[in-house]
């Protein structure tokens, strides 16, 4: 659980960065928007509070994911094959 709480915010930062980079590349390729113009207007389009809210929510979701995974895992019996057989 601790590993997921640490890694999920890092994963969130990584996906935010790659999403912005992908948006920059597509804006350049399809809309002829330069990288500098894109970055200048990025702070107008996205509030920094939205970014921090996503980073703050990541550990909470990590705990929920870990707890549900552990709970479901404790109800599995037998082999790894029984994981797929477990009714919902």
């Amino acid at each position: 659980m601790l590993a997921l709480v640490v890694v999920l915010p890092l994963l969130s930062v990584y996906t935010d960065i790659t999403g912005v980079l992908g948006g920059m590349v597509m804006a350049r390729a399809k809309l002829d928007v330069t990288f500098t113009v894109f970055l200048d207007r990025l702070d107008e389009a996205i509030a920094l509070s939205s970014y921090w809210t996503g980073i703050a929510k990541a550990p909470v979701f990590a705990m929920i994911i870990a707890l549900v995974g552990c709970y479901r895992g404790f109800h599995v019996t037998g082999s790894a094959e029984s994981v797929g057989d477990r009714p919902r």
Side-chain angles (χ1 to χ4, degrees), residues 8-73:
L8 199 60
L10 296 174
L11 183 63
S12 180
V13 170
Y14 173 74
T15 56
D16 288 342
I17 291 170
T18 55
V20 168
L21 290 175
M24 282 175 42
V25 169
M26 292 308 295
R28 178 69 179 147
K30 299 293 182 182
L31 303 173
D32 292 327
V33 175
T34 64
F35 293 149
T36 54
V37 171
F38 185 91
L39 290 175
D40 287 341
R41 295 191 182 177
L42 185 64
D43 61 344
E44 297 171 13
I46 301 173
L48 196 57
S49 63
S50 298
Y51 173 75
W52 289 115
T53 301
I55 299 300
K57 289 190 307 184
V60 175
F61 288 132
M63 285 188 275
I64 293 170
I65 292 167
L67 289 173
V68 169
C70 289
Y71 176 78
R72 291 299 217 168

